Amino acid sequence: MTQQSCFHCGEPVPDNSPYQVTIKQEPQPLCCPGCEAVSNAIVHGGLESYYKFRTELPPRPELSEEELAELQIYDTPELLQEFVSQNDQGIAETTLAIDGITCAACAWLIEHQIDNLEGVERTAVNLSAQRATLRWDINKLPFSKLLAEFKSIGYGAQPWQADEQQQKLQREQKTAIRRLIVAAIGSMQAMMFGVALEAGMLENYMQQEFILLFMWMSFLVTTPVVLYSAWPFFSSAARELRHKRLSMDVPVSLAIGLGYAASVWALVFGVGELHFYAIAMFTFFLLFGRYIEMRTRHKIGSGGNALHDLIPQAALLLDADDNEEYVPSRQLRPGDRILVKPGHTLPVDGVILSGHSSVNEATMTGEYLPVSCHPGHQVLAGTQNIDSPLIVEVEKIGQEVRLASIARLSDRALAEKPRIETLANQVSQYFVAAILLVSLTVFSVWLFLDPSRAFWVTLSVLVVTCPCALALATPTALAVANATLGRQGVLITRGHVLEGLAKATHIIFDKTGTLTEGRLELKEVRWLANAEDPRREQAAALAAALETQSEHPIARAFTASREEGIKATDIQAVTGQGLSGVITNQTYRLGRADFVAPNTGLLPPAEEGQWLLLAADDEPLCWFRLSDQLRPDTRDMLEELHHLGMQAELLSGDQEGAVASIAQELGIENYRASATPEMKLARLRELQAEGHQVIMVGDGVNDVPVLAGAQVSIAMGDATDLAKTSADTLLLSSRLIRIPQAIRKARKTRMTIAQNLSISLGYNLMALPAAAMGLIPPWMAALGMTSSSLLVVFNALRLKDKGNEQRLSEVTSRPASANPQQEAKA
């Protein structure tokens, strides 16, 4: 038995499908409730002739040989290397710029269609930025075939580049403005003619010929609005229906198309009423709302473009003779030397070979204070040189620079949809189907009560209940919040972070490198030998001389104590024990007591810190106490968390004394020392079993298991690469005060989403009965629908308000130390 095809869209009809439409008293099979609702609306609207004159079903577009050959260029190794990253197994990743995306239904269609291709592992569409991130097996599916599939379902796709994407957005904006201008002019003229006709003013003062002229003028000024300005609604609705998908453009297109067709019928045959002005105004109001939403989306989605735009296109290359030559930044290779003049932006990641200057890293970290740089200092692409020329050796280029990795993480976060956004999209889909069914019911009732008003009341119902606001409620708020936090140095890399931050009740910190800076400082010198010994004043300088050649973190604690006249020779290092060397014909040792003075039986003091013993010819001279310093804003951060009702814990692998001292200093009641990664993870699971939502903040490899297990994980900006990869959020500036700031923003975002959903659903519930009773004309319905959408967008934009962050900004700007240079480095 041959499987039937859907009478409306041509897709196969499932067995025992209950959906059908009656055409000329003959039932025709349909594949889904969406096709049933649309086809019945067409029939009941008196437009069943559409099926009569339709010669064939809309075919799936086939690409020509020329188009396929053009796409195959992207399979060349040079272009693949530029646009696609792949591993040894052939698993490839890329980001594509997509043309034609108008709503969440478009994103769903692309993901659903592309995910069904052989070899595709994941497709994630970023609606705000109009980009798609794909992961697939390039051995099974060439890149050109992937691009061809996008074209075959009606969307243009090309490898995303910042400059091309920006041009595409500009073209989209110009086209939208032209459509909006045509709709504005047409609606004004149609309103002038239409209101006069409906008010009966012309019947009393003008002849019938002039009345007929004004009716035809209404038709002429409305037709460009429908055929040009409203075209995106029709094309989007047709694409969705071809794939058995309902979107908000379906009821919009039905309202515009049926209203226009009915008015033309009334004009030609003199039966019914003309409502050209209502159709034109509806189109204008809807386009105006879409334009505002598009501008907001472009501004939010431009964050990725802005990151790439930070990298200059040209660089000043130095040859072996230090001759300067401007070259494209793409031609730079690791090992090249470039000159970065004051005021110029670095095009690559590299290390300073010569020069002393300050670098503005605000674009990377969100901190406005410049950082002092010197030879050996690492510098990043996108940061700006301030004071003096720098010669930099190129280390990373192109997609390997940190700026590019930040952009990829940001795209991943925007592409991943939180549970609340997915739920909202599903609700809007069912809502459209419900609207169509309600509209058919209203039409049937009014056909019985007052046939002359049945069509226009139904049109008002379609217009007033368009779920534009519902579809915009969640993604707009999330996009604004992500963009705002990103500018403040909080990079969200997963889609669930905002939801998790808003629900969090507990937060766990690692100590070293998280609450502290991970830099040892010399805190105390405790002299043991004769108080009159002249070496007492030089103790730190003697230790610094022994540590001169060491790269150990302990050596940095003595750097400031170096003196020119004190030098050590024959320096030897014993791993895990200490150092020995000769200074002024005496042998000095620095390190553990059992290594420095094994016969004395000395034990380090019990106070907090790491204790090192200095001895000369086996005579103990003094103890050095080294300690890691707290980050400048640690106390302020914990105070803000307390105000937010968060419970803080400290889990550290350090010894009991050091951890207890830090916990007592910061007022953290719950802490655990000598905690292994397994112990940290066990404590996390214990809290989660009690129903708590936990945030984990860490920086080291030992924190990776617990970072991966927490509901939300945060890695410091200077964390290990593995910790950054495992974390959901990166603090680019390493400012701990950003954590409570992000929590506040997440809670406000959750509240804003709830407000937006309440606005959109409340508006529809109130407006639907009034429209169904015939109390709302079509033009007023258009105004109400557009107003609700704009209200949702503007409410989401309130998340950019700096009011909530003002107090935190003041806290952040407090002096953390008496040393301004140290504060600047922090």
Side-chain angles (χ1 to χ4, degrees), residues 415-434:
E416 291 184 1
K417 297 175 179 59
R419 182 183 58 84
I420 188 171
E421 182 177 351
T422 303
L423 180 61
N425 290 339
Q426 294 174 349
V427 170
S428 64
Q429 298 162 21
Y430 290 110
F431 194 76
V432 171

Side-chain angles (χ1 to χ4, degrees), residues 504-506 638-648 743 747:
T505 58
H506 281 63
L638 291 172
E639 181 181 348
E640 292 294 330
L641 290 175
H642 177 72
H643 291 325
L644 292 172
M646 300 284 294
Q647 297 292 324
I743 295 174
R747 292 182 179 181

